[in-house]
Amino acid sequence: MTTEIKAFADFGLAEPILRAVTEMGYTEPTPIQAQAIPLVLQGRDVMGAAQTGTGKTAGFALPILQLLLPKASSSASPLRHPVRALIIAPTRELADQIHVNVAAYAKHSQLRSAVVFGGVDIKPQIAAVRQGVEVLVGTPGRLLDHVEQKTVNLSQVEIFVMDEADRMLDMGFLPDIQRIINLLPKKRQNLMFSATFSGDIRKLAESFLQNPVSVEVARRNATAENVEQKAYKVDSTEAKRAAVAKLVRDNGLSQVIVFSNTKIGAGRLARQLVQDGLNAAAIHGDKSQQERLATLDSFKRGEIVVLVATDVAARGLDIAELPAVINYDLPYSPEDYVHRIGRTGRAGASGIALSLMTPAEERYLAEIEKLIKRQIPVESLAVVTPPRERGARPERSERSERPRGERPERTERPRGESEEARAPRRTEDRGGARRTPRPSGPPLAGYSNDPFFFKPYESPEDEKQPAEGDAAAAPASGRKRSSRPVAALLGGKKG
DNA sequence: AAAAAAT
């Protein structure tokens, strides 16, 4: 019954939708679109195994708009515009991007969409939703905030989409997702997309999808065939910083996302790269939402050459023709590797994924290779670390180079430890400064980028105060997050 | 272990 669909025109999409697609220059659906669109149009629940960049968003957005179209009305009354399709996504940038796409596909129809996410003023969102929107996109927390404020009503939702479901579980969104699902009508169509498929994802799927059809484009947990992967051994963290600039230049990369495991590391690397003459900027969760969106926009426009990012950018972001990704750190979880390198080689284009690893990180490579079921060639990369005089003190001025608005590092220390005892521990994750001689010390063994390493001991009060944010205080503030397995949260219930 | 996400 699966007829080969070769053109968007064959899906039977209504004229306003097809016209928008055509105007955007699309004629042929991607494999996931070819599979998913007819199923969604039939009203089926769909479980999609697809990374972004496969055209996934259009794969659900186009048929959703088609399904909503017959009842679309141009009535000015907001009451006639209940939210009929709800799309949730793990990060604010991704939600925003989905909304932009939906709005583009819907521009010739009467259908309207809006996006809600945190980190920005809620009032414009309330105003937008008041206008009446058929399609609402959002991140879970702010969406629930709107529900509580009664600015959003989800009781008329006909189609519910969970994008990047694996990521949402990783981020502890399950309780929020369940609250959202409880607000939806029992009878509805569900679509769920995930790039990786753990047991937890399957359990979640079983719990809320009804008789779903599976749609799969890429091999499970596989990385794109068209992405050339390499890993480089480097001696140290300092070497990694220098290596990034070298890799960008040697490979003539016009644009690249560099992934760092930490926010601090991302900020530092970006600053270093700027010093090295590359147009670089960092994006991570400690930047204001305004900055995050502006940086991303500037990267998309090609102004920024190197985007240094934490995993906030690992999933879902669609940057056209991104030629390369560099892992400044190997990710802690192999799934994250799949997502990160999924930023390149998108929609059939070729891409390069380069990873840097210190000796300590080499063990992560094996797990990654196991997951992606392929070997990643490893080379050694000799780089000249920054030209500092031997024995020179790391510049204090580095501290003042921190851009305004970016948080300083935390200087908290474990209490009751001697200065000697804590120094090596602190340095371990602070850019590699060490007091003890380095095993195979290159000339710059004492070099450190750690702005606090030589900082004089500050306030004795710190030590007298009870430690802030310790085990007793932490759970009381902030949202409750559970690390219980999905099965437990789902009450052991099986579909 | 880290990051992200409502305030």
mmCIF file of all heavy atoms in Angstrom, chain A residues 285-311:
data_model
loop_
_atom_site.group_PDB
_atom_site.id
_atom_site.type_symbol
_atom_site.label_atom_id
_atom_site.label_comp_id
_atom_site.label_asym_id
_atom_site.label_seq_id
_atom_site.Cartn_x
_atom_site.Cartn_y
_atom_site.Cartn_z
ATOM 1 N N GLY A 285 24.076 27.739 28.622
ATOM 2 C CA GLY A 285 22.944 28.049 29.474
ATOM 3 C C GLY A 285 23.143 29.174 30.471
ATOM 4 O O GLY A 285 22.188 29.613 31.099
ATOM 5 N N ASP A 286 24.374 29.651 30.652
ATOM 6 C CA ASP A 286 24.578 30.783 31.550
ATOM 7 C C ASP A 286 24.490 32.112 30.814
ATOM 8 O O ASP A 286 24.553 33.160 31.428
ATOM 9 C CB ASP A 286 25.938 30.686 32.256
ATOM 10 C CG ASP A 286 25.860 29.795 33.490
ATOM 11 O OD1 ASP A 286 24.749 29.352 33.828
ATOM 12 O OD2 ASP A 286 26.902 29.558 34.118
ATOM 13 N N LYS A 287 24.363 32.041 29.500
ATOM 14 C CA LYS A 287 24.169 33.282 28.738
ATOM 15 C C LYS A 287 22.676 33.621 28.803
ATOM 16 O O LYS A 287 21.830 32.736 28.926
ATOM 17 C CB LYS A 287 24.553 33.058 27.272
ATOM 18 C CG LYS A 287 25.997 32.639 27.081
ATOM 19 C CD LYS A 287 26.879 33.845 26.898
ATOM 20 C CE LYS A 287 28.290 33.407 26.541
ATOM 21 N NZ LYS A 287 29.184 34.556 26.442
ATOM 22 N N SER A 288 22.389 34.895 28.677
ATOM 23 C CA SER A 288 20.973 35.261 28.687
ATOM 24 C C SER A 288 20.321 34.700 27.427
ATOM 25 O O SER A 288 20.988 34.461 26.423
ATOM 26 C CB SER A 288 20.834 36.780 28.704
ATOM 27 O OG SER A 288 21.171 37.305 27.431
ATOM 28 N N GLN A 289 19.019 34.508 27.531
ATOM 29 C CA GLN A 289 18.309 33.957 26.382
ATOM 30 C C GLN A 289 18.449 34.874 25.172
ATOM 31 O O GLN A 289 18.581 34.421 24.044
ATOM 32 C CB GLN A 289 16.839 33.738 26.732
ATOM 33 C CG GLN A 289 16.093 32.911 25.697
ATOM 34 C CD GLN A 289 16.758 31.572 25.472
ATOM 35 O OE1 GLN A 289 17.292 30.968 26.393
ATOM 36 N NE2 GLN A 289 16.764 31.094 24.240
ATOM 37 N N GLN A 290 18.454 36.155 25.445
ATOM 38 C CA GLN A 290 18.608 37.133 24.371
ATOM 39 C C GLN A 290 19.950 36.932 23.658
ATOM 40 O O GLN A 290 20.030 36.917 22.437
ATOM 41 C CB GLN A 290 18.561 38.526 24.993
ATOM 42 C CG GLN A 290 18.039 39.592 24.082
ATOM 43 C CD GLN A 290 18.050 40.943 24.795
ATOM 44 O OE1 GLN A 290 18.499 41.053 25.940
ATOM 45 N NE2 GLN A 290 17.572 41.966 24.125
ATOM 46 N N GLU A 291 20.984 36.774 24.465
ATOM 47 C CA GLU A 291 22.315 36.547 23.907
ATOM 48 C C GLU A 291 22.374 35.243 23.117
ATOM 49 O O GLU A 291 22.978 35.168 22.059
ATOM 50 C CB GLU A 291 23.324 36.459 25.060
ATOM 51 C CG GLU A 291 24.306 37.587 25.127
ATOM 52 C CD GLU A 291 25.288 37.376 26.280
ATOM 53 O OE1 GLU A 291 24.845 37.084 27.411
ATOM 54 O OE2 GLU A 291 26.479 37.468 26.035
ATOM 55 N N ARG A 292 21.741 34.217 23.685
ATOM 56 C CA ARG A 292 21.753 32.915 23.013
ATOM 57 C C ARG A 292 21.132 33.009 21.626
ATOM 58 O O ARG A 292 21.689 32.527 20.653
ATOM 59 C CB ARG A 292 20.988 31.886 23.861
ATOM 60 C CG ARG A 292 21.791 31.318 25.004
ATOM 61 C CD ARG A 292 20.941 30.597 26.023
ATOM 62 N NE ARG A 292 20.198 29.464 25.489
ATOM 63 C CZ ARG A 292 19.548 28.573 26.249
ATOM 64 N NH1 ARG A 292 19.577 28.694 27.565
ATOM 65 N NH2 ARG A 292 18.901 27.601 25.699
ATOM 66 N N LEU A 293 19.991 33.648 21.558
ATOM 67 C CA LEU A 293 19.306 33.755 20.276
ATOM 68 C C LEU A 293 20.090 34.638 19.309
ATOM 69 O O LEU A 293 20.198 34.340 18.130
ATOM 70 C CB LEU A 293 17.881 34.286 20.476
ATOM 71 C CG LEU A 293 16.935 33.325 21.221
ATOM 72 C CD1 LEU A 293 15.643 34.029 21.619
ATOM 73 C CD2 LEU A 293 16.624 32.082 20.399
ATOM 74 N N ALA A 294 20.682 35.721 19.846
ATOM 75 C CA ALA A 294 21.447 36.628 18.988
ATOM 76 C C ALA A 294 22.697 35.937 18.442
ATOM 77 O O ALA A 294 23.037 36.074 17.263
ATOM 78 C CB ALA A 294 21.833 37.889 19.765
ATOM 79 N N THR A 295 23.376 35.190 19.312
ATOM 80 C CA THR A 295 24.584 34.481 18.885
ATOM 81 C C THR A 295 24.257 33.462 17.806
ATOM 82 O O THR A 295 24.943 33.360 16.793
ATOM 83 C CB THR A 295 25.239 33.771 20.091
ATOM 84 O OG1 THR A 295 25.574 34.742 21.072
ATOM 85 C CG2 THR A 295 26.493 33.031 19.673
ATOM 86 N N LEU A 296 23.182 32.731 18.039
ATOM 87 C CA LEU A 296 22.790 31.713 17.071
ATOM 88 C C LEU A 296 22.450 32.349 15.725
ATOM 89 O O LEU A 296 22.835 31.864 14.663
ATOM 90 C CB LEU A 296 21.587 30.944 17.625
ATOM 91 C CG LEU A 296 21.213 29.681 16.885
ATOM 92 C CD1 LEU A 296 22.349 28.693 16.887
ATOM 93 C CD2 LEU A 296 19.976 29.047 17.526
ATOM 94 N N ASP A 297 21.759 33.455 15.817
ATOM 95 C CA ASP A 297 21.368 34.170 14.610
ATOM 96 C C ASP A 297 22.601 34.640 13.843
ATOM 97 O O ASP A 297 22.700 34.494 12.629
ATOM 98 C CB ASP A 297 20.512 35.369 15.033
ATOM 99 C CG ASP A 297 19.661 35.864 13.902
ATOM 100 O OD1 ASP A 297 19.007 35.011 13.275
ATOM 101 O OD2 ASP A 297 19.677 37.080 13.632
ATOM 102 N N SER A 298 23.539 35.180 14.582
ATOM 103 C CA SER A 298 24.764 35.685 13.978
ATOM 104 C C SER A 298 25.566 34.537 13.343
ATOM 105 O O SER A 298 26.188 34.707 12.286
ATOM 106 C CB SER A 298 25.572 36.379 15.077
ATOM 107 O OG SER A 298 26.824 36.749 14.622
ATOM 108 N N PHE A 299 25.521 33.394 13.979
ATOM 109 C CA PHE A 299 26.195 32.215 13.410
ATOM 110 C C PHE A 299 25.500 31.773 12.129
ATOM 111 O O PHE A 299 26.134 31.462 11.136
ATOM 112 C CB PHE A 299 26.203 31.091 14.445
ATOM 113 C CG PHE A 299 27.011 29.881 14.022
ATOM 114 C CD1 PHE A 299 28.390 29.961 13.889
ATOM 115 C CD2 PHE A 299 26.394 28.665 13.786
ATOM 116 C CE1 PHE A 299 29.147 28.848 13.515
ATOM 117 C CE2 PHE A 299 27.133 27.547 13.406
ATOM 118 C CZ PHE A 299 28.517 27.639 13.273
ATOM 119 N N LYS A 300 24.188 31.779 12.166
ATOM 120 C CA LYS A 300 23.437 31.380 10.975
ATOM 121 C C LYS A 300 23.676 32.325 9.816
ATOM 122 O O LYS A 300 23.651 31.921 8.665
ATOM 123 C CB LYS A 300 21.933 31.314 11.283
ATOM 124 C CG LYS A 300 21.549 30.082 12.084
ATOM 125 C CD LYS A 300 20.048 30.014 12.313
ATOM 126 C CE LYS A 300 19.675 28.719 13.028
ATOM 127 N NZ LYS A 300 18.242 28.643 13.332
ATOM 128 N N ARG A 301 23.882 33.577 10.143
ATOM 129 C CA ARG A 301 24.161 34.545 9.080
ATOM 130 C C ARG A 301 25.596 34.463 8.584
ATOM 131 O O ARG A 301 25.966 35.131 7.632
ATOM 132 C CB ARG A 301 23.896 35.971 9.591
ATOM 133 C CG ARG A 301 22.417 36.317 9.696
ATOM 134 C CD ARG A 301 22.218 37.826 9.734
ATOM 135 N NE ARG A 301 23.065 38.463 10.746
ATOM 136 C CZ ARG A 301 22.689 38.659 11.993
ATOM 137 N NH1 ARG A 301 21.492 38.311 12.388
ATOM 138 N NH2 ARG A 301 23.501 39.219 12.860
ATOM 139 N N GLY A 302 26.419 33.683 9.266
ATOM 140 C CA GLY A 302 27.787 33.483 8.822
ATOM 141 C C GLY A 302 28.789 34.486 9.391
ATOM 142 O O GLY A 302 29.951 34.481 9.021
ATOM 143 N N GLU A 303 28.330 35.321 10.297
ATOM 144 C CA GLU A 303 29.255 36.298 10.881
ATOM 145 C C GLU A 303 30.219 35.627 11.840
ATOM 146 O O GLU A 303 31.406 35.914 11.861
ATOM 147 C CB GLU A 303 28.462 37.386 11.622
ATOM 148 C CG GLU A 303 27.642 38.244 10.691
ATOM 149 C CD GLU A 303 26.567 39.030 11.417
ATOM 150 O OE1 GLU A 303 26.546 39.031 12.661
ATOM 151 O OE2 GLU A 303 25.741 39.631 10.718
ATOM 152 N N ILE A 304 29.681 34.747 12.631
ATOM 153 C CA ILE A 304 30.526 33.995 13.552
ATOM 154 C C ILE A 304 31.010 32.743 12.831
ATOM 155 O O ILE A 304 30.238 32.037 12.195
ATOM 156 C CB ILE A 304 29.736 33.615 14.823
ATOM 157 C CG1 ILE A 304 29.417 34.877 15.620
ATOM 158 C CG2 ILE A 304 30.507 32.616 15.658
ATOM 159 C CD1 ILE A 304 28.435 34.641 16.745
ATOM 160 N N VAL A 305 32.317 32.503 12.905
ATOM 161 C CA VAL A 305 32.898 31.352 12.228
ATOM 162 C C VAL A 305 32.900 30.132 13.153
ATOM 163 O O VAL A 305 32.577 29.024 12.748
ATOM 164 C CB VAL A 305 34.346 31.675 11.767
ATOM 165 C CG1 VAL A 305 35.036 30.436 11.221
ATOM 166 C CG2 VAL A 305 34.316 32.780 10.709
ATOM 167 N N VAL A 306 33.280 30.351 14.385
ATOM 168 C CA VAL A 306 33.349 29.250 15.344
ATOM 169 C C VAL A 306 32.332 29.475 16.455
ATOM 170 O O VAL A 306 32.430 30.448 17.204
ATOM 171 C CB VAL A 306 34.756 29.121 15.965
ATOM 172 C CG1 VAL A 306 34.830 27.896 16.865
ATOM 173 C CG2 VAL A 306 35.818 29.062 14.883
ATOM 174 N N LEU A 307 31.369 28.603 16.534
ATOM 175 C CA LEU A 307 30.403 28.663 17.628
ATOM 176 C C LEU A 307 30.820 27.632 18.664
ATOM 177 O O LEU A 307 30.821 26.436 18.387
ATOM 178 C CB LEU A 307 28.995 28.351 17.117
ATOM 179 C CG LEU A 307 27.875 28.420 18.149
ATOM 180 C CD1 LEU A 307 27.657 29.851 18.626
ATOM 181 C CD2 LEU A 307 26.579 27.850 17.596
ATOM 182 N N VAL A 308 31.225 28.107 19.821
ATOM 183 C CA VAL A 308 31.627 27.190 20.882
ATOM 184 C C VAL A 308 30.404 26.957 21.757
ATOM 185 O O VAL A 308 29.847 27.893 22.317
ATOM 186 C CB VAL A 308 32.786 27.770 21.718
ATOM 187 C CG1 VAL A 308 33.277 26.724 22.710
ATOM 188 C CG2 VAL A 308 33.920 28.226 20.822
ATOM 189 N N ALA A 309 29.986 25.702 21.851
ATOM 190 C CA ALA A 309 28.709 25.422 22.493
ATOM 191 C C ALA A 309 28.791 24.282 23.496
ATOM 192 O O ALA A 309 29.605 23.381 23.359
ATOM 193 C CB ALA A 309 27.680 25.062 21.425
ATOM 194 N N THR A 310 27.944 24.364 24.492
ATOM 195 C CA THR A 310 27.710 23.195 25.336
ATOM 196 C C THR A 310 26.636 22.368 24.632
ATOM 197 O O THR A 310 26.200 22.706 23.534
ATOM 198 C CB THR A 310 27.170 23.619 26.711
ATOM 199 O OG1 THR A 310 25.965 24.364 26.487
ATOM 200 C CG2 THR A 310 28.186 24.466 27.459
ATOM 201 N N ASP A 311 26.178 21.348 25.290
ATOM 202 C CA ASP A 311 25.182 20.490 24.653
ATOM 203 C C ASP A 311 23.825 21.172 24.490
ATOM 204 O O ASP A 311 22.890 20.561 23.982
ATOM 205 C CB ASP A 311 25.046 19.166 25.399
ATOM 206 C CG ASP A 311 26.183 18.224 25.019
ATOM 207 O OD1 ASP A 311 26.499 18.156 23.824
ATOM 208 O OD2 ASP A 311 26.752 17.580 25.911
#
